[in-house]
Amino acid sequence: MIHALRSISRLYRPLSRCLSSSIEPLVSGTRRGLFKDVFPAETARLQLSELLSSGPQTVYCGFDPTADSLHVGNLLALLGLLHFHRAGHHVIAVVGGATAQIGDPSGRNQEREPLSPERVEENVLGIRDSLHRIFGGRPGGRVTVLDNAAWYRQRSAVEFLASVGRHFRMGTLLSRHSVQSRLSSAEGMSLTEFTYQVFQAYDFYYLNQKHGCKIQLGGTDQLGNLMSGHDFIHRTTGEDVFGILLPLITSTTGDKLGKSAGNAVWLNRARTSPFEFYQYFVRQQDSNVERFLKLFTFLPLPEIEHIMEQHAKEPEKRIPQKRLAAEVTKLVHGKEGLESAKSHLQTGIKHGRHGRSLSREVHSGPVS
């Protein structure tokens, strides 16, 4: 599986000039390191490229509203959707108003604290705001934001298990890494968490049937959930669907970036101001910055290469860090947010603030 996307890139490299824009996100995303893998590995390499070449497709990714804002750990999923959107494909962002009350066990060593329906509803509104701000006004395919509570609200537990649950095999569900790691832990796993992969699988099925969606994006920690969706759809409809896996972004200590890790940088300015957001990316170490320019921006790869060449000559200027911070802040907060962040930074430097704090948190020179 690990070589599947690299094979796609090699397959199409000689034909790069005549690639249709519809398949470009897959090839470009692979070269940038944004798309780490595809599923199923045995067939996706060619079938996925043929599907994208056939015309606009629908691609989806889910975001559980366990807080009232998305965070920097969600950025790669958003960038993945944006790459397809810019190429004319249709994207669906599913806000998990239902699944947030279940709790995804993937990548966690203990169960999430339960959220009240009222809190989840508030969080859904906050995440919708993030999504509309980031996708709003951009040219490309259709953008749809859905709440999966809409298709579970009228279903009873008995009816859902009777009609959907019978298509899942216990041995397969138990074999998932997210389940195995929790079953072997001291806390174990609740029945509620165990059913999460069934609900996410049904989300994919629902979108496939109602919106013609055949592609799901997700982090590498979502592979088990994605496989369950693929198996369920193929078992019940015979259709071929695909998954594209995104790398997980971790901190310098190796922890997954997210609010549960205690180091979140939020996308809503009420939680993290545009200035603080800008600072986060300016502070990135030299070892990360080239990779982050490829992952978090739409800058052409030759331009990134040129930026890094400049950095090698004048590392004290931190040119790539500043360009990274500017591009991502503009993506998330718009031009006004970027101007606000730069104005705040200049004011702080003029009065002797911010510059010193930044220089303590990076390892390769002060920020000017």
Side-chain angles (χ1 to χ4, degrees):
M1 183 185 297
I2 195 67
H3 300 295
L5 278 169
R6 293 174 185 168
S7 299
I8 291 175
S9 182
R10 288 196 298 269
L11 177 66
Y12 283 99
R13 190 174 295 129
L15 304 175
S16 59
R17 292 184 179 180
C18 60
L19 277 173
S20 67
S21 61
S22 59
I23 197 174
E24 181 60 26
L26 186 62
V27 178
S28 175
T30 302
R31 292 175 180 168
R32 302 178 79 94
L34 178 61
F35 300 148
K36 186 174 182 180
D37 233 327
V38 290
F39 180 84
E42 299 79 11
T43 58
R45 184 169 65 86
L46 291 179
Q47 289 185 347
L48 187 54
S49 58
E50 291 173 355
L51 177 66
L52 292 170
S53 297
S54 67
Q57 299 300 316
T58 300
V59 183
Y60 110 89
C61 188
F63 304 89
D64 276 351
T66 51
D68 61 2
S69 170
L70 298 176
H71 51 76
V72 73
N74 301 120
L75 267 179
L76 284 195
L78 295 172
L79 265 294
L81 290 177
L82 280 168
H83 273 276
F84 282 101
H85 170 64
R86 283 159 57 102
H89 296 290
H90 309 308
V91 300
I92 299 176
V94 174
V95 184
T99 43
Q101 298 179 65
I102 304 296
D104 185 0
S106 302
R108 296 183 59 85
N109 54 24
Q110 60 183 8
E111 190 167 6
R112 295 180 185 273
E113 291 294 323
L115 297 172
S116 68
E118 294 77 20
R119 178 66 181 276
V120 170
E121 190 171 342
E122 291 176 4
N123 292 348
V124 167
L125 294 176
I127 290 181
R128 279 184 176 272
D129 177 67
S130 294
L131 293 168
H132 286 302
R133 186 177 68 253
I134 290 172
F135 283 97
R138 299 181 185 275
R142 185 173 60 250
V143 178
T144 306
V145 179
L146 301 174
D147 180 353
N148 65 6
W151 51 87
Y152 291 113
R153 195 171 287 123
Q154 304 303 320
R155 306 196 69 161
S156 71
V158 172
E159 184 272 330
F160 184 79
L161 287 173
S163 60
V164 176
R166 67 178 64 255
H167 296 287
F168 293 84
R169 306 273 73 83
M170 284 298 299
T172 303
L173 297 179
L174 286 166
S175 70
R176 305 301 189 207
H177 175 73
S178 61
V179 174
Q180 287 293 310
S181 61
R182 288 294 299 280
L183 289 177
S184 60
S185 69
E187 183 175 316
M189 171 180 260
S190 71
L191 174 62
T192 302
E193 286 184 298
F194 180 71
T195 62
Y196 185 91
Q197 58 182 307
V198 175
F199 284 94
Q200 185 166 317
Y202 183 79
D203 286 349
F204 197 0
Y205 168 84
Y206 180 90
L207 296 174
N208 173 261
Q209 295 298 294
K210 301 294 185 180
H211 298 271
C213 179
K214 295 185 178 182
I215 303 169
Q216 179 182 354
L217 300 185
T220 52
D221 61 340
Q222 293 294 309
L223 178 58
N225 295 332
L226 195 151
M227 292 169 71
S228 293
H230 169 273
D231 294 349
F232 176 50
I233 293 170
H234 194 71
R235 184 188 297 270
T236 55
T237 71
E239 284 196 54
D240 290 318
V241 294
F242 307 94
I244 299 177
L245 299 176
L246 310 163
L248 297 180
I249 301 300
T250 58
S251 67
T252 53
T253 60
D255 295 323
K256 177 181 174 182
L257 291 187
K259 59 191 179 305
S260 55
N263 55 8
V265 176
W266 302 93
L267 305 193
N268 283 7
R269 65 174 60 199
R271 280 181 169 263
T272 300
S273 71
F275 168 66
E276 293 169 324
F277 188 84
Y278 181 91
Q279 276 192 312
Y280 171 78
F281 286 97
V282 168
R283 290 170 177 163
Q284 293 303 315
Q285 299 178 25
D286 286 356
S287 58
N288 290 333
V289 69
E290 181 176 7
R291 178 173 179 246
F292 283 9
L293 280 168
K294 293 177 181 178
L295 291 175
F296 291 119
T297 79
F298 293 99
L299 296 176
L301 294 181
E303 184 174 350
I304 294 174
E305 184 178 349
H306 176 66
I307 291 171
M308 296 311 298
E309 288 172 354
Q310 289 180 300
H311 182 59
K313 296 175 183 178
E314 300 177 298
E316 71 280 0
K317 292 186 176 181
R318 299 182 63 77
I319 295 172
Q321 281 88 347
K322 293 177 182 178
R323 186 64 183 276
L324 172 68
E327 292 292 328
V328 184
T329 303
K330 185 168 64 174
L331 173 74
V332 173
H333 292 292
K335 292 182 179 179
E336 180 273 330
L338 175 58
E339 291 171 0
S340 170
K342 286 186 173 181
S343 175
H344 193 158
L345 179 62
Q346 291 302 318
T347 301
I349 292 175
K350 182 178 179 180
H351 292 87
R353 303 190 302 270
H354 305 321
R356 288 193 298 273
S357 65
L358 283 174
S359 64
R360 286 197 297 270
E361 298 195 38
V362 297
H363 302 283
S364 54
V367 174
S368 59

